[in-house]
């Protein structure tokens, strides 16, 4: 191609990702009661999800976690506290489709009090707790956030006495084996991220 300075020239350039590029995919799902049908769909599709990702690249890893709501009133009622949590890291990054399928199939949803959900607590921990989640430095990171509701933001936590500003830090033990829960006392005292 001969180009002359100041003369426009058009050409087509095709770009595609390199084959077998490293890919880490983390699914963070709302486990509030309104998501029960959606959780059942994910359970039914878990094999297909993992196998589809595997068809894109053989160098993939997949992880899974869930969120509900801050473990305190007014977001939960007294009779809703049993088994509840803000964020639960269920499966660290793995290349096993079977591990992903098994992690999803044993989970269930829980009720809470209000429409917005506490998903940003979980979202922040998935992003910041790199070692616990298992994010690789050399991979593309995809975080799939699954919910049917809006989310709580900074200052919403004040309604429950969560007055400490969220500093955007990993607040989970990095060397733990899943399932790992976001500390209930921290969840109840630190405001939502924004």
């Amino acid at each position: 191609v001969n180009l002359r300075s100041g003369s426009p020239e058009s050409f087509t350039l095709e770009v595609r990702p390199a084959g077998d590029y490293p890919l880490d995919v983390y699914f963070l799902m709302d486990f509030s009661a309104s998501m029960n049908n959606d959780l059942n769909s994910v359970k039914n599709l878990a094999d297909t999800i993992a196998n589809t990702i595997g068809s894109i690249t053989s160098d993939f890893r997949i992880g899974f976690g869930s969120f509900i709501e801050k473990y305190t009133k007014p977001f939960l009622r007294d009779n809703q506290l049993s088994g509840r949590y803000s964020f639960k890291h269920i499966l660290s990054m793995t290349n096993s489709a079977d591990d992903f399928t098994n992690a999803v199939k044993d989970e269930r949803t829980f009720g809470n009090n209000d429409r917005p959900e506490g998903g940003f607590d979980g979202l922040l921990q998935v992003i910041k707790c790199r070692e616990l989640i298992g994010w690789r430095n050399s991979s593309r990171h995809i975080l799939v956030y699954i919910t049917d509701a809006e989310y709580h933001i900074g200052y919403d936590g004040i309604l429950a006495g969560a007055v400490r500003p969220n500093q955007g830090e990993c607040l989970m033990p990095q060397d733990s084996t899943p399932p790992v829960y976001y500390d209930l006392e921290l969840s109840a005292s630190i405001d939502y991220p924004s």
Side-chain angles (χ1 to χ4, degrees):
V1 175
N2 293 322
L3 299 176
R4 176 179 273 168
S5 178
S7 296
E9 189 67 36
S10 297
F11 58 92
T12 301
L13 178 65
E14 290 185 27
V15 178
R16 62 178 175 228
D20 286 335
Y21 53 91
L23 178 64
D24 293 344
V25 182
Y26 192 92
F27 289 86
L28 178 60
M29 186 167 182
D30 177 354
F31 274 16
S32 62
S34 62
M35 291 291 290
N36 193 54
N37 289 338
D38 303 280
L39 176 57
N40 289 331
S41 294
V42 170
K43 288 178 181 182
N44 292 331
L45 294 171
D47 280 335
T48 303
I49 291 168
N51 291 330
T52 300
I53 293 170
S55 73
I56 296 169
T57 177
S58 63
D59 190 5
F60 79 94
R61 297 194 321 163
I62 190 168
F64 188 68
S66 63
F67 62 88
I68 303 173
E69 189 55 88
K70 287 199 177 292
Y71 187 79
T72 186
K73 295 178 192 177
F75 307 120
L76 297 174
R77 293 185 291 270
D78 285 338
N79 65 342
Q80 294 177 317
L81 294 178
S82 177
R84 303 316 192 269
Y85 53 87
S86 175
F87 167 63
K88 178 182 175 184
H89 170 58
I90 299 166
L91 179 68
S92 294
M93 293 293 179
T94 180
N95 59 4
S96 169
D98 290 339
D99 287 352
F100 178 71
T101 300
N102 290 332
V104 173
K105 76 175 184 177
D106 293 333
E107 296 302 319
R108 68 186 191 100
T109 59
F110 296 91
N112 63 323
N113 248 2
D114 61 348
R115 177 77 180 148
E117 309 298 359
F120 273 16
D121 277 341
L123 186 67
L124 179 67
Q125 296 308 298
V126 171
I127 292 168
K128 298 301 276 186
C129 299
R130 295 178 57 87
E131 189 176 315
L132 174 66
I133 300 302
W135 295 113
R136 295 177 289 179
N137 291 330
S138 61
S139 65
R140 291 186 185 167
H141 300 172
I142 296 177
L143 198 160
V144 180
Y145 184 84
I146 306 167
T147 187
D148 65 347
E150 60 276 11
Y151 43 82
H152 282 292
I153 59 172
Y155 297 109
D156 285 356
I158 291 173
L159 295 169
V163 295
R164 290 176 46 200
N166 194 301
Q167 300 297 317
E169 301 168 341
C170 175
L171 298 171
M172 299 180 72
Q174 292 288 304
D175 57 354
S176 297
T177 302
V180 181
Y181 294 87
Y182 182 43
D183 184 89
L184 295 177
E185 288 183 27
L186 284 176
S187 170
S189 65
I190 297 176
D191 197 9
Y192 294 99
S194 286

